[in-house]
Amino acid sequence: DSIQNAVNDAAGGTPGVVLVAQGTFVYSGGATDQYGYIIDAIEDVSLYGSFSDEDWDKRDVTVYPTILQDTRTTSNGSQSTASPYRVINIAAGISSATILDGFEIWIAPITGGPSTPSACAFFISNASPVIRNNIIRSYDIINGSSVNIMGIRLITGGNPQISNNIINLGSMT
């Protein structure tokens, strides 16, 4: 089962909580899959990652990482900074009742496309979630490629609470 299925199942219960054990969850949609992502947040459903898969009392993002990894490498050209590839999508209306905590997130390693493509870990559009205790990473960018890599992209308002995250974006090689 997928994390998204668990999020969907938790919706409707107030509040919903999804606990995710260590492991790697990969998204590898094609270049034309503009809006593919691993998680599409739902209001009042919180996600907590990095639990031991053997002992749910143990939780640590560096010891038991829950890795969300986007492996798309090319863009169809429509992934601008206003609409980038994203690992976690947080749409309008999501409030601080939705918490995303304890994940290691790898941004898509896009090397190019017909225009200047973009990718991010969190895409927040007019929403106010709580984002904390995450590690956001990107791959190195190949010299000469026109790519925008963003850890957290906030667009058209909102007031997210962002704390205790590590953002380690790659370098230009």
Side-chain angles (χ1 to χ4, degrees), residues 82-156:
S83 184
Y85 279 151
R86 55 202 77 167
V87 179
I88 299 175
N89 186 61
I90 305 168
I94 302 289
S95 73
S96 61
T98 301
I99 301 168
L100 298 123
D101 183 308
F103 294 92
E104 180 177 326
I105 303 164
W106 282 85
I107 300 167
I110 301 173
T111 56
S115 64
T116 304
S118 299
C120 64
F122 290 95
F123 182 80
I124 306 167
S125 178
N126 198 24
S128 302
V130 175
I131 298 172
R132 64 181 182 217
N133 303 318
N134 299 289
I135 299 172
I136 298 170
R137 302 182 189 278
S138 76
Y139 301 86
D140 290 339
I141 298 171
I142 296 172
N143 191 22
S145 63
S146 298
V147 178
N148 293 307
I149 301 296
M150 302 164 282
I152 300 172
R153 176 69 166 118
L154 174 64
I155 190 167
T156 64

Side-chain angles (χ1 to χ4, degrees), residues 22-84:
Q22 68 191 83
T24 302
F25 300 83
V26 176
Y27 184 81
S28 59
T32 59
D33 188 4
Q34 180 176 357
Y35 297 109
Y37 27 75
I38 296 175
I39 298 171
D40 189 16
I42 294 177
E43 171 61 13
D44 210 19
V45 175
S46 295
L47 291 96
Y48 297 90
S50 298
F51 287 91
S52 166
D53 60 358
E54 296 178 2
D55 183 349
W56 287 89
D57 289 329
K58 294 180 180 177
R59 181 174 185 243
D60 186 309
V61 71
T62 58
V63 177
Y64 311 107
T66 299
I67 300 169
L68 308 177
Q69 183 178 21
D70 189 341
T71 60
R72 292 176 284 188
T73 58
T74 59
S75 167
N76 67 3
S78 57
Q79 286 67 46
S80 66
T81 56
S83 184

